[in-house]
Amino acid sequence: MVCGFLLETPTGFIADKYGRKVSLLIGGVFLTAFPLVYAWRPYLPFFVAAEFLCAVGLAFRSGADESLLVEAAREAGLESKAVLGRYQAFQTQSVYFSHHK
C-alpha cells in the first residue's frame, strides 16, 4: 500500500507526459510480471519484489484506464458518466464473482 501511494504521482506524470495508452501498457507489463515472480521462488525477498511489481503495475493503471474510457466515450458521442458507471459496475461484479465461486 505504501509503495502504491508513493508511486501514484510519478506514474501519473508519465501518463500525462507520454499518454494513457503508454501508462496502461507499462502497467500491464508489471501486472504480468508479478505472478511470475511469485511462482518463481517461495522466499520472502521474491514475495516483496512481486508485491512491489504489483504496486507499480496498479499505480500505472490507476486512473489511466477510466480516463482513456471517458475520452473515447466523448469522441464516440456517448454519455461518459453512463459508460464509466457501467465500466465500474463490471469491475465490481468481476471482483465479486472471482471471489465467490
Side-chain angles (χ1 to χ4, degrees):
M1 294 299 272
V2 172
C3 289
F5 175 74
L6 293 174
L7 292 168
E8 281 293 324
T9 301
T11 57
F13 173 76
I14 290 171
D16 290 341
K17 184 166 177 127
Y18 298 106
R20 293 176 204 90
K21 291 180 184 177
V22 172
S23 182
L24 289 172
L25 178 67
I26 294 169
V29 169
F30 279 97
L31 289 173
T32 301
F34 97 89
L36 300 175
V37 174
Y38 266 132
W40 192 25
R41 296 274 189 246
Y43 302 113
L44 183 62
F46 292 95
F47 172 77
V48 171
E51 286 293 316
F52 179 74
L53 291 174
C54 182
V56 171
L58 290 174
F60 270 107
R61 267 195 51 205
S62 174
D65 54 349
E66 293 176 357
S67 180
L68 187 63
L69 182 65
V70 167
E71 183 180 306
R74 286 184 184 153
E75 288 177 6
L78 301 171
E79 186 180 339
S80 58
K81 284 185 180 181
V83 172
L84 187 58
R86 288 185 187 128
Y87 176 71
Q88 290 172 341
F90 177 75
Q91 284 182 323
T92 303
Q93 289 176 350
S94 64
V95 168
Y96 175 80
F97 288 119
S98 68
H99 292 303
H100 293 89
K101 288 184 178 181

